[in-house]
Amino acid sequence: AIARANVVELERRHVDDLVEVERMKRAYVAGSGHDLRSPLTSLRAATRALPRAIDAQVQAQLLEVLARQVDRLAALTQALMDVDNASVSEVQLIGLPALVRLIALDAELAGRLVAVEAPERLDVLADAEGVRRMVSNLIDNAFTHGAPPVVIALSARNGRAVLSVPDHGPGVAPGEQDRVFEHASRGAWRANPGRGFGLAIVRSLAEACGGTAWYDAAPEGGARFSISLRMRDVTQQEAAWMHGQVC
C-alpha cells in the first residue's frame, strides 16, 4: 500500500510539472505576441511614410527601419518556434547608448518622439534583442499609459547600468505598484486598454540578463520604470552562467 501511494504521489507530481510547463509556454507565447506589436507598428509607419518621402536621406532612414524591423520579426518568430529551447539568445558585450539611440530613432519614425540622455559610452553584458524588447516595451508603456514628453535616461550606479523611462502621465496608484510587473496586470492606473504583458516581459528579460526592473514616481510627476543591467566588469564564471539564460 505504501509503495502504491508513493507511485501515485510521483505521478501526481509529474502531472503538476507538465501543467506548469504548459502554463509557462502559454505565458511565453502570449508575451511574445505582445512583442510583435512594436515592430509591426514601425513597419506600418515606415511603409506609409516611404511613398511621401522626397529627401534621399529620409528615404534611406525609412528603408533601414524596414530592414531592422523585418529582422526583429524574424527573430521573434524564431523564438516562438523555439519555445521549448531555453537558450534562444546570446549574451554579449553591448554599447548601450548606441543601441538605445537606434531604438529611439525607430520610435520617432513611427510617430513617437523619445529623447535620450546618455553618456558617450556605457557597456553592458546582455542580449541586444532582449534589450531592444525591454526598451520598446517601456516606450510603448509610456505612450500608452503615460504621456509625453518621454525620455530614456542612462547612467551608471553602484556598478550597474541603469536605464530609466519617465513619463508625464498619472503615475501608478500606491496599491498597484507591486502588481504592475505581473502578467496580465491592468491596474486602475491604466486609462488605456492593454493585455498587461509588457512590463512583465521587461522584468523577466531584465532578470534573465542578471539585472532587475522596478517602478518609482518620476521627479516631475508621472511614472518612471527602470531596469538595471550588468556592466562589463563581471567574472568569467558569471558570464558563462548568463550565456545559457534566456535574455
Side-chain angles (χ1 to χ4, degrees), residues 208-239:
C209 289
T212 188
W214 68 94
Y215 164 84
D216 61 355
E220 299 180 1
R224 179 171 63 185
F225 290 92
S226 303
I227 59 174
S228 69
L229 297 170
R230 291 174 180 257
M231 296 175 67
R232 63 183 305 164
D233 55 344
V234 297
T235 66
Q236 291 183 348
Q237 183 178 5
E238 289 173 328

Side-chain angles (χ1 to χ4, degrees), residues 23-146:
R23 184 196 67 79
M24 292 175 66
K25 286 184 180 180
R26 289 179 180 273
Y28 179 84
V29 171
S32 296
H34 179 281
D35 280 340
L36 291 173
R37 293 193 308 175
S38 178
L40 286 173
T41 299
S42 295
L43 282 170
R44 184 181 298 113
T47 51
R48 289 177 178 175
L50 189 58
R52 300 191 299 270
I54 301 175
D55 184 77
Q57 184 176 359
V58 173
Q59 291 178 345
Q61 289 179 334
L62 290 171
L63 289 172
E64 288 178 3
V65 170
L66 290 172
R68 283 197 300 270
Q69 299 309 323
V70 167
D71 288 343
R72 285 202 67 203
L73 284 174
L76 289 170
T77 302
Q78 187 62 48
L80 286 170
M81 295 173 63
D82 293 341
V83 68
D84 288 322
N85 184 0
S87 300
V88 297
S89 301
E90 181 180 357
V91 175
Q92 57 188 321
L93 197 63
I94 298 170
L96 190 58
L99 178 58
V100 167
R101 289 191 179 96
L102 194 60
I103 298 169
L105 175 61
D106 288 348
E108 180 179 352
L109 293 172
R112 292 176 164 180
L113 184 61
V114 179
V116 178
E117 299 175 355
E120 182 177 350
R121 182 171 181 177
L122 186 62
D123 294 339
V124 297
L125 190 65
D127 170 63
E129 180 57 29
V131 172
R132 183 179 285 275
R133 291 175 67 187
M134 285 186 280
V135 177
S136 296
N137 274 307
L138 290 176
I139 292 173
D140 182 66
N141 181 78
F143 278 94
T144 303
H145 306 295

Side-chain angles (χ1 to χ4, degrees), residues 35 130 133-134 137 200-210 246-247:
D35 280 340
R133 291 175 67 187
M134 285 186 280
N137 274 307
I201 293 170
V202 169
R203 172 167 281 182
S204 296
L205 290 171
E207 291 177 349
C209 289
V246 176
C247 175

Side-chain angles (χ1 to χ4, degrees), residues 143-174:
F143 278 94
T144 303
H145 306 295
V150 175
V151 178
I152 303 175
L154 304 181
S155 62
R157 190 184 310 169
N158 299 325
R160 295 269 177 156
V162 177
L163 184 152
S164 298
V165 181
D167 63 57
H168 289 73
V172 180

